[in-house]
Amino acid sequence: MELVLLFIITLVCTLSAVAIQTHPLDPLTPAEFKLVRTIISKSYPTSSSHANLTFQYVGLDEPDKQTILSWLSSKSKPKTQIPRRAFVVARFEKQSLEIMVDLSTSSIASTKVYKGHGFPMMTIDEQFVASDLPFKYKPFIESVKKKGLDLSQVVCTTFSVGWFGQVKTNRILNIQCFYTNETVNLYARPLEGITVVVDLDEMKIVGYSDRMVAPVPKGEGTEYRASKLRPPFGPKLKGSAFWQPQGPGFEIHGQTIRWANWEFHVGFDIRAGPIISLASVYDLEKQEYRRVLYRGFISELFVPYMDPTTDWYYKTYFDSGEFGFGQSASSLQPLTDCPSNAAFLDAFYQSSQGSPVQIPNAFCIFEKYAGDVMWRHTETGIPNQVITEVRPDVSLVARMVSTIGNYDYIIDWEFKPSGSIKLRVGLSGILEMKGGKYTHTDQIKEESYGTLLADYTIGLNHDHFLTYYLDLDIDGEANSFVKSNLETVKATVDDHGTPRKSYWKVVRETAKTEADARINLGLKASELLVVNPNKETKVGNKVGYRLIPSSVSHPLLVADDYPQIRAAFTNYNVWVSPYNKSEKWASGPYTDRSRGDDTLAVWSKRDREIENKDIVLWYTVGIHHVPSQEDFPVMPTLSGGFELRPTNFFERNPVLKVLPPQHVNLPNCTIKS
């Protein structure tokens, strides 16, 4: 009786916690994760030894877009709560189940067995269990002994294996191991040539090889912890103080952020990581908020390594779909990851057993005072006058860091008073390194597939392709994609009566279908815009936002190489598709061991109409990385990104009337000895 009463009390408290949600796009709460686990566990008991239930993905089932927009426009206070649902991908009896859980009724709304290719994202829990298996495996133990290494100083980690044309695929991964004696920089000391193959459904070793191909690199010079480094230190950086006597300029209400002329919602997903929704900018002249972005996030990160040899060819990772940006999020460190004026938000995801896992300080929100200039002009053309007007720039940054194995990805969304949104990713962490036979480049007579960084240590060439999902709603849902091509025009003296021989003009082309909007940047001079064809400025220009890329890279793998078949969504820098709630993962919903048959590149073959429709812009940031010695033993941050900039969205400069922030003198401080 007491147990029954305890269950009822727990369920009532859980439902109460679910009911107090104030925003329909808020991520699932710990109480909701517990409720999901309770509901599903009842329907899928695990009493038999073969019936193992694991939760691979649990996330908010995003309400229909029109439902959200109606909720936003509702004048009722408090707003009517939209029923919340959770979408779950679970493994049960070696099958992938898609389960929709209605949180408002505490019931399963639907269940479907996935029959297609590929497997769901791997959980951290099962990766940890798999990584421990080699230490109970006699052939591995013998290999370590033969190398003269201390088994207690060996650590192992997991690597996805991809797909290379196999007709039948099992849910397996590879384990490779490293030596930590003398250093915590494990990736600098690989046990090259040892590979352990683990079946995740059986959770047992199904393959093993030891090729004894190279010595273990030395640990000397690989340490990066400040407490372990020795003089001389430098370069010396002096400290600074930051003080806002009136408090921060932003407000946080649940997951909604308000700052200056911006309002947006910060969400979190175990796969995508940070999700920015409902970003609207305030128009001073119209005296209203105008929507720019309905929803945006990193859909996939493709990282292929350029070593086709036996122990490395399969290393072609899809970090979001295989490992999860969200579940790999790191707790941000105050004063180092984020400045002293930052506020922090926690995040939660589910363990493989369905219980909530907290990530403290998963996000930081801060105002960025970088010494940049918002706008300025010095006028000396008026006699006896020198007129100078300057406005210092301030922006708001929402940041998360995802550490996936050796790499740390610093993900920034930066909002500017001018109406621009800058999206940036910083790459840091540790290179993935291969043990080699060389101590000097003179010894290298064959292809090494990378750069010799230190004795017996090769940093391998690789790529990073980050594909962003951007559901832009420029002043409304009905938008069009416009290519403004800059074309050279030859001129003669007879044309204009001047000696000019050429100029360029803008030739605009509106994409009618998806095929019209597939673009590889850098091939011609052009500007790319998303416009609202139904809204104009006073002088008749269509309101819009334009995409401003930074550096541009394209895939260099051949199109029929298996990794590139799976990553065909990187074949173009830009894609545009009609909005479809189910089309959000560029690599497909089941990426691990996928075959490239359910990706953005496949969906786009339908060549659907996109003119004056609710459309999604997909943009891929590409970085070719040739390692250098400066990247060793830990890599200084390398950044890439792009800007979404208003283009005829406002009637004039939206920050014309911004007044400079008032200078604040720090209070006098005295130090008593």
Side-chain angles (χ1 to χ4, degrees):
M1 183 65 184
E2 290 180 354
L3 289 175
V4 174
L5 182 61
L6 179 61
F7 173 78
I8 293 173
I9 293 173
T10 302
L11 186 59
V12 170
C13 291
T14 299
L15 290 173
S16 298
V18 171
I20 63 172
Q21 286 292 329
T22 57
H23 198 292
L25 292 180
D26 281 353
L28 296 180
T29 66
E32 288 174 321
F33 282 122
K34 293 176 183 177
L35 181 58
V36 168
R37 179 185 61 185
T38 299
I39 294 168
I40 293 180
S41 296
K42 283 184 178 181
S43 298
Y44 297 92
T46 57
S47 55
S48 70
S49 59
H50 300 290
N52 184 33
L53 173 69
T54 58
F55 294 83
Q56 308 299 132
Y57 174 92
V58 180
L60 174 72
D61 178 50
E62 177 190 337
D64 290 338
K65 187 171 183 178
Q66 290 306 315
T67 301
I68 294 291
L69 296 178
S70 297
W71 181 85
L72 282 173
S73 62
S74 172
K75 303 298 183 183
S76 62
K77 292 186 179 180
K79 292 180 182 291
T80 303
Q81 182 69 44
I82 297 174
R84 283 167 67 81
R85 304 201 307 180
F87 177 69
V88 180
V89 178
R91 290 288 289 177
F92 186 72
E93 297 181 343
K94 299 183 181 180
Q95 291 184 314
S96 295
L97 305 181
E98 298 178 353
I99 305 172
M100 193 70 71
V101 177
D102 189 325
L103 296 171
S104 62
T105 61
S106 299
S107 63
I108 292 178
S110 65
T111 302
K112 174 186 174 184
V113 178
Y114 175 69
K115 297 291 188 179
H117 297 131
F119 299 102
M121 189 179 68
M122 295 177 281
T123 68
I124 287 179
D125 298 327
E126 62 189 352
Q127 291 180 68
F128 278 154
V129 173
S131 296
D132 195 48
L133 293 178
F135 297 97
K136 305 178 184 69
Y137 190 63
K138 287 184 179 179
F140 174 76
I141 296 171
E142 289 300 317
S143 292
V144 173
K145 286 182 179 178
K146 286 180 182 179
K147 293 178 181 292
L149 305 177
D150 182 353
L151 186 64
S152 68
Q153 297 295 314
V154 174
V155 297
C156 299
T157 191
T158 57
F159 298 85
S160 56
V161 300
W163 173 73
F164 291 87
Q166 300 94 333
V167 175
K168 182 180 179 180
T169 53
N170 294 324
R171 193 164 175 259
I172 63 172
L173 51 71
N174 283 352
I175 306 285
Q176 291 192 332
C177 303
F178 307 86
Y179 200 47
T180 59
N181 190 29
E182 302 177 345
T183 183
V184 295
N185 195 337
L186 60 103
Y187 295 100
R189 306 199 73 191
L191 306 189
E192 198 64 48
I194 293 180
T195 301
V196 184
V197 185
V198 172
D199 185 311
L200 285 174
D201 285 331
E202 298 287 347
M203 200 50 76
K204 68 179 183 181
I205 293 174
V206 295
Y208 181 75
S209 63
D210 179 4
R211 280 175 257 279
M212 296 286 290
V213 295
V216 178
K218 297 177 181 178
E220 181 182 357
T222 64
E223 186 59 74
Y224 54 83
R225 291 173 294 177
S227 61
K228 300 295 182 180
L229 298 176
R230 297 291 177 261
F233 297 108
K236 188 173 182 180
L237 305 175
K238 293 188 176 181
S240 61
F242 186 90
W243 184 49
Q244 290 179 293
Q246 297 176 330
F250 58 89
E251 299 176 358
I252 301 178
H253 301 277
Q255 301 286 136
T256 298
I257 314 296
R258 294 187 180 94
W259 172 80
N261 53 344
W262 279 103
E263 179 178 273
F264 59 92
H265 181 274
V266 177
F268 177 83
D269 180 80
I270 185 173
R271 178 168 174 171
I275 299 177
I276 302 297
S277 302
L278 306 174
S280 299
V281 63
Y282 189 76
D283 188 322
L284 190 63
E285 294 197 13
K286 292 181 179 292
Q287 296 284 294
E288 64 180 12
Y289 278 96
R290 300 169 65 190
R291 195 163 70 250
V292 175
L293 176 76
Y294 179 75
R295 206 152 171 82
F297 54 88
I298 295 175
S299 179
E300 190 53 87
L301 168 56
F302 176 48
V303 187
Y305 281 79
M306 299 300 137
D307 186 339
T309 59
T310 301
D311 294 318
W312 281 83
Y313 76 94
Y314 63 87
K315 294 192 175 185
T316 54
Y317 311 127
F318 292 76
D319 280 345
S320 177
E322 293 171 342
F323 300 101
F325 259 37
Q327 77 170 349
S328 302
S330 297
S331 292
L332 299 174
Q333 304 302 302
L335 305 182
T336 49
D337 277 322
C338 310
S340 60
N341 61 322
F344 294 85
L345 296 173
D346 296 345
F348 295 87
Y349 68 92
Q350 91 293 338
S351 71
S352 62
Q353 300 307 309
S355 57
V357 178
Q358 182 178 14
I359 306 173
N361 294 357
F363 292 96
C364 70
I365 313 294
F366 61 91
E367 289 172 288
K368 181 179 175 182
Y369 294 80
D372 295 330
V373 175
M374 180 185 292
W375 64 263
R376 79 172 320 281
H377 180 61
T378 296
E379 182 56 67
T380 59
I382 301 174
N384 304 316
Q385 292 189 56
V386 176
I387 300 169
T388 299
E389 285 287 323
V390 185
R391 299 294 182 270
D393 203 10
V394 182
S395 58
L396 186 77
V397 176
R399 172 173 295 169
M400 193 194 90
V401 172
S402 186
T403 302
I404 303 177
N406 53 307
Y407 260 105
D408 295 62
Y409 294 95
I410 305 154
I411 304 164
D412 281 358
W413 286 75
E414 182 176 356
F415 296 85
K416 303 179 76 65
S418 62
S420 283
I421 306 174
K422 287 190 172 181
L423 298 89
R424 185 180 298 107
V425 61
L427 282 59
S428 190
I430 312 293
L431 292 173
E432 197 156 317
M433 290 168 272
K434 178 179 181 177
K437 301 176 290 186
Y438 318 111
T439 59
H440 195 279
T441 56
D442 290 346
Q443 301 167 341
I444 303 175
K445 305 302 180 184
E446 63 279 327
E447 178 61 63
S448 63
Y449 310 107
T451 303
L452 186 65
L453 304 174
D455 289 354
Y456 312 116
T457 304
I458 297 171
L460 290 176
N461 302 329
H462 59 283
D463 295 323
H464 302 264
F465 291 105
L466 296 103
T467 299
Y468 283 80
Y469 171 102
L470 302 163
D471 181 5
L472 293 167
D473 281 1
I474 307 302
D475 234 6
E477 299 91 80
N479 286 179
S480 294
F481 181 69
V482 176
K483 294 178 282 187
S484 294
N485 299 315
L486 312 185
E487 298 185 358
T488 300
V489 179
K490 292 183 178 180
T492 66
V493 174
D494 295 336
D495 291 334
H496 303 96
T498 72
R500 280 287 295 273
K501 295 183 178 181
S502 63
Y503 63 97
W504 58 259
K505 67 177 182 179
V506 179
V507 178
R508 294 179 176 86
E509 178 185 348
T510 300
K512 305 291 185 183
T513 67
E514 291 176 273
D516 297 334
R518 298 176 200 143
I519 295 174
N520 269 326
L521 297 171
L523 302 181
K524 61 164 58 176
S526 62
E527 291 190 344
L528 306 178
L529 301 93
V530 174
V531 305
N532 188 325
N534 312 296
K535 301 283 183 70
E536 294 181 348
T537 60
K538 292 178 181 177
V539 297
N541 292 311
K542 304 297 183 185
V543 302
Y545 263 69
R546 89 176 173 267
L547 171 71
I548 303 179
S550 53
S551 59
V552 174
S553 297
H554 305 117
L556 298 177
L557 300 180
V558 296
D560 63 349
D561 195 357
Y562 291 106
Q564 195 58 39
I565 291 172
R566 299 174 68 210
F569 56 89
T570 66
N571 287 345
Y572 296 95
N573 300 111
V574 176
W575 306 71
V576 178
S577 64
Y579 172 79
N580 184 324
K581 179 182 171 181
S582 67
E583 296 178 1
K584 60 182 181 180
W585 307 120
S587 60
Y590 293 86
T591 305
D592 184 34
R593 309 219 68 191
S594 62
R595 304 185 183 187
D597 54 3
D598 190 14
T599 69
L600 170 61
V602 174
W603 310 331
S604 183
K605 288 180 180 179
R606 287 175 281 177
D607 201 19
R608 295 161 290 185
E609 294 183 358
I610 58 173
E611 185 179 14
N612 201 15
K613 303 286 187 183
D614 190 355
I615 58 177
V616 175
L617 175 71
W618 307 75
Y619 177 67
T620 295
V621 176
I623 299 174
H624 298 303
H625 190 178
V626 179
S628 65
Q629 288 184 249
E630 289 80 4
D631 297 333
F632 180 83
V634 65
M635 177 180 160
T637 300
L638 173 67
S639 296
F642 60 100
E643 179 179 352
L644 298 172
R645 187 180 180 93
T647 303
N648 301 317
F649 186 83
F650 299 102
E651 292 293 339
R652 57 178 176 168
N653 180 358
V655 289
L656 175 69
K657 296 184 178 180
V658 169
L659 299 178
Q662 184 177 359
H663 179 70
V664 176
N665 291 311
L666 289 173
N668 293 327
C669 299
T670 58
I671 302 176
K672 295 182 180 180
S673 59

